[in-house]
Amino acid sequence: MKKKTNHIIKSLAVAFLGGLSLCSCTDFLTIYPTDKTVGENFWKNKDQVDQMVTGAYTGMISGSNIERFIMWGDYRSDVMRKTSALDNTTLDNITNVDLYPSSGYNSWSSFYYVINTCNLVMHHAQDVLAVDPDYTEGDYQTTRAQMLGLRALCHFYLVRTFRDVPYVTKAYEKSDDLTLDGQLAPDSTLQLCINDLVEAERGCYKYGTFAADDWRSVGLLSKDAINAILADVYLWRASLWSKTDKEKAKTYYQACIDYADKVIDSHKRFYENNYKGSASSDNATAPYYLLSGSQAFYQNFVEGNSRESIFELQFDGTSNVNNLVRQYFYKHKDATSTYGMLAGTIAVGNSVGDSPTPSKSSASTSALYQSENDYRFYDNSYGVNDANSSSFPIRKMVYNMAAYSVIPTSKQGYTYLQTRGFDNYKQNWIMYRITDVMLMKAEALIWTKGEGDGEAKELLNDIRERAGLPRNSQATKAQLQNERRCELAFEFQPSRFVDVIRWGLAPTLLTTPLHSVISKGQDGRIVTEEVEVYPARTYNPTYNKVFPIPERAFTGTENLTQNKGY
């Protein structure tokens, strides 16, 4: 966020949160070994509680979690593929929806590790009230709110990935004792997430409590972050009931709208109080609070912690390095590597305005970017609009130069140059930002009030206008779905795969081969040829929309049931 200081609200929450700083995962494990009971000298003062809260956040940025955000999300969709030069059978299996319970990619242990840490903090922190006068009731409520929010967020990931999962609220002092049983149906899990989040919202600080350039504004869970998660949970819950109980689904869609409004209104107030009408160079005189199209990529994905952000996992590049984004998006092995493990498909790199349209029509390549004047077309991937390419290196979360975006006059994408350093990969992981919430609300409006809803049009057109497009969206379901794919490509919390499951598109989308058209020289002239990027996948909607329960999870328990088909 820009260097404009906001009035800091004097509250107990600030006193508590002021003590939090991100430490390395190694530091955290030294504080609290996962295989030993915490000694009697722990849980004696406020600093020790703060260390454990930091430990929960550190668990969220573990390489295991970041890797699963990628594998459980966009990699299973139509926008991402394995780099062709990379030999990796496991990734091939996931692409082909050939999933195995023994695969390490479907391990859920790192999420339950964070969940157990949250439970331990809530179990022990209240006892500190009796022994440390510096740890107040206000501190405890803020502690509890942060841990409830993280616990709910982890369970929300798990239910979307595995469906029937245990909702763990008991604290286990030894990690080996952690018992996972009592799987719940998705709606029951979502209700427990909602219960935790509603309580968390009451104890979290207001967005804007800290100075505008303070990482804690978006690095810790604020009321806006909690409300964004609630909007997301209700949107997913509504989709579960949309075919069997339309009235119940309508109620949940309205809850999504209500929580989205809280976030949007809060961000508008922050913008009005801190930016609008100022001499700042970041679109401060705009009629709405979005960054300008030329500045959005730099401030959101290079500088980070922008005013559009709601919650993002923090990497400082020294004690916390985002090695997994570096490995998957930039350099797959070491500093000499020339490519990352993953790349964007033809769907993100060469399908402007549905032209050229492969003769074998594919939903995967249908009119993703509608204009060559869309900033996102060039910002998200390298080398776009190259008819000779069928995959495109990912630019989002890789490019890190201090430069604003431009629309190339040649309408050719940026050249792929590996100018970023290998070491100290400082790249935050955005969990929620304001355009995601705007799109959630627009979706809920369209699905309840019908296509063409006026308020949904305004939301979609605000996003389109910022991207350099005309305000001509008619707020159809197809336009909403496409706008999410353009705006949120490669961000993984608003996962493309999760979206197509929610919309019921997976049975068609994932069984349709992805084709591309390339140009090549032949007999002294340029001809086009249709090529297959990847073939049709065997997708069974009964069970392939979720991962199998991890094989190792069945050790020591008889109360887990494997997902059907695995």
Side-chain angles (χ1 to χ4, degrees):
M1 293 184 177
K2 291 296 177 181
K3 304 281 187 178
K4 181 168 182 176
T5 303
N6 187 23
H7 294 293
I8 300 178
I9 299 173
K10 303 297 183 181
S11 67
L12 294 173
V14 175
F16 159 72
L17 293 167
L20 288 181
S21 61
L22 292 179
C23 63
S24 70
C25 191
T26 301
D27 293 337
F28 168 57
L29 294 179
T30 301
I31 294 169
Y32 193 163
T34 58
D35 59 348
K36 296 180 181 179
T37 302
V38 174
E40 293 181 358
N41 292 328
F42 210 82
W43 301 115
K44 296 297 184 183
N45 57 58
K46 180 180 182 296
D47 286 344
Q48 291 171 331
V49 175
D50 291 350
Q51 288 172 348
M52 288 299 294
V53 172
T54 299
Y57 278 95
T58 303
M60 287 296 293
I61 65 172
S62 70
S64 294
N65 275 7
I66 298 299
E67 187 168 50
R68 278 146 192 81
F69 291 150
I70 297 170
M71 287 296 108
W72 296 354
D74 277 13
Y75 183 65
R76 293 191 287 166
S77 73
D78 58 332
V79 300
M80 184 174 287
R81 61 176 293 183
K82 184 195 72 176
T83 299
S84 57
L86 183 69
D87 183 16
N88 189 306
T89 302
T90 304
L91 291 182
D92 290 336
N93 288 339
I94 295 175
T95 296
N96 296 327
V97 203
D98 195 5
L99 308 176
Y100 297 93
S102 59
S103 172
Y105 281 121
N106 69 324
S107 172
W108 61 20
S109 59
S110 59
F111 283 82
Y112 277 113
Y113 171 78
V114 175
I115 289 167
N116 191 51
T117 303
C118 293
N119 291 337
L120 282 165
V121 173
M122 288 188 284
H123 178 71
H124 288 289
Q126 194 164 22
D127 296 335
V128 178
L129 287 169
V131 296
D132 185 0
D134 290 332
Y135 188 66
T136 68
E137 178 65 28
D139 293 330
Y140 170 71
Q141 293 301 328
T142 304
T143 298
R144 181 172 173 81
Q146 296 289 310
M147 297 298 93
L148 286 170
L150 288 183
R151 184 173 79 180
L153 182 58
C154 286
H155 281 110
F156 187 38
Y157 266 99
L158 291 169
V159 71
R160 290 179 294 177
T161 304
F162 299 99
R163 193 176 58 212
D164 297 348
V165 298
Y167 201 97
V168 179
T169 59
K170 179 181 177 180
Y172 293 88
E173 303 293 343
K174 297 181 181 180
S175 60
D176 290 344
D177 294 337
L178 197 154
T179 301
L180 297 177
D181 55 23
Q183 288 163 282
L184 299 176
D187 191 68
S188 298
T189 296
L190 295 178
Q191 183 59 58
L192 291 174
C193 288
I194 290 166
N195 294 347
D196 278 353
L197 291 166
V198 168
E199 181 180 347
E201 196 272 344
R202 293 194 292 266
C204 283
Y205 66 93
K206 292 181 179 180
Y207 179 80
T209 293
F210 302 103
D213 59 347
D214 193 317
W215 68 267
R216 292 172 297 177
S217 292
V218 297
L220 301 173
L221 289 170
S222 65
K223 290 183 183 296
D224 280 15
I226 296 297
N227 287 327
I229 302 171
L230 276 163
D232 205 2
V233 171
Y234 271 113
L235 187 63
W236 184 258
R237 195 180 195 187
S239 72
L240 294 179
W241 292 98
S242 59
K243 294 186 182 301
T244 58
D245 192 331
K246 294 188 181 300
E247 285 305 310
K248 184 176 287 188
K250 185 176 181 180
T251 298
Y252 296 148
Y253 279 126
Q254 185 58 52
C256 170
I257 293 168
D258 293 341
Y259 282 110
D261 276 338
K262 289 185 177 183
V263 180
I264 293 169
D265 291 345
S266 172
H267 265 62
K268 282 183 177 179
R269 287 194 300 270
F270 183 80
Y271 168 73
E272 294 284 343
N273 293 335
N274 292 273
Y275 293 96
K276 189 173 183 178
S278 74
S280 173
S281 61
D282 59 352
N283 202 34
T285 58
Y288 52 90
Y289 48 82
L290 298 183
L291 296 160
S292 67
S294 64
Q295 299 175 40
F297 180 85
Y298 171 72
Q299 293 193 29
N300 285 328
F301 302 105
V302 179
E303 188 175 71
N305 295 338
S306 80
R307 72 162 187 256
E308 287 189 16
S309 182
I310 297 170
F311 180 47
E312 55 190 88
L313 302 179
Q314 304 288 308
F315 290 86
D316 62 14
T318 53
S319 59
N320 297 296
V321 180
N322 202 336
N323 291 326
L324 271 297
V325 165
R326 180 183 66 193
Q327 176 182 344
Y328 279 96
F329 289 6
Y330 186 41
K331 292 177 179 285
H332 76 282
K333 186 176 182 181
D334 55 35
T336 65
S337 301
T338 58
Y339 55 86
M341 293 177 66
L342 307 179
T345 67
I346 187 69
V348 298
N350 207 18
S351 54
V352 172
D354 208 18
S355 178
T357 302
S359 58
K360 297 177 182 178
S361 179
S362 167
S364 300
T365 59
S366 177
L368 174 52
Y369 294 99
Q370 299 172 9
S371 169
E372 291 177 321
N373 293 316
D374 189 331
Y375 281 104
R376 301 167 301 186
F377 183 45
Y378 306 97
D379 286 341
N380 290 340
S381 307
Y382 285 104
V384 298
N385 242 1
D386 181 353
N388 294 303
S389 297
S390 60
S391 68
F392 302 84
I394 297 167
R395 190 169 182 269
K396 187 180 282 188
M397 292 187 279
V398 171
Y399 183 79
N400 72 332
M401 303 298 288
Y404 289 152
S405 302
V406 297
I407 304 296
T409 55
S410 66
K411 299 301 190 289
Q412 295 292 304
Y414 299 109
T415 301
Y416 181 46
L417 298 174
Q418 290 191 315
T419 56
R420 183 168 186 162
F422 181 79
D423 297 324
N424 304 321
Y425 203 89
K426 178 184 178 182
Q427 184 66 54
N428 285 357
W429 185 275
I430 297 176
M431 303 292 281
Y432 288 97
R433 58 189 179 95
I434 194 63
T435 49
D436 184 12
V437 175
M438 294 166 68
L439 288 164
M440 289 183 208
K441 180 181 177 182
E443 180 176 338
L445 287 167
I446 294 169
W447 263 250
T448 53
K449 297 185 179 181
E451 296 185 328
D453 175 74
E455 191 174 3
K457 282 184 183 179
E458 288 300 306
L459 290 164
L460 292 174
N461 284 323
D462 281 350
I463 295 171
R464 287 174 55 80
E465 183 177 50
R466 186 269 286 284
L469 302 177
R471 297 181 65 90
N472 61 2
S473 174
Q474 297 305 303
T476 66
K477 289 183 177 181
Q479 288 171 340
L480 179 282
Q481 291 162 347
N482 196 65
E483 202 61 47
R484 281 191 66 86
R485 187 163 57 156
C486 293
E487 178 69 19
L488 304 171
F490 311 135
E491 293 184 43
F492 302 102
Q493 162 54 26
S495 158
R496 167 69 174 167
F497 183 81
V498 170
D499 284 347
V500 299
I501 293 296
R502 187 175 70 252
W503 297 326
L505 300 179
T508 300
L509 185 72
L510 299 183
T511 57
T512 303
L514 186 63
H515 290 94
S516 172
V517 174
I518 62 172
S519 301
K520 65 178 184 179
Q522 180 176 306
D523 299 329
R525 58 193 179 90
I526 301 297
V527 298
T528 60
E529 178 183 350
E530 183 175 327
V531 297
E532 187 173 79
V533 178
Y534 55 70
R537 293 175 270 187
T538 302
Y539 176 85
N540 188 319
T542 302
Y543 54 85
N544 282 152
K545 60 185 177 184
V546 295
F547 267 91
I549 302 296
E551 184 175 74
R552 293 175 60 185
F554 291 91
T555 302
T557 182
E558 298 179 355
N559 297 317
L560 287 178
T561 301
Q562 183 58 270
N563 286 329
K564 184 177 180 180
Y566 299 108

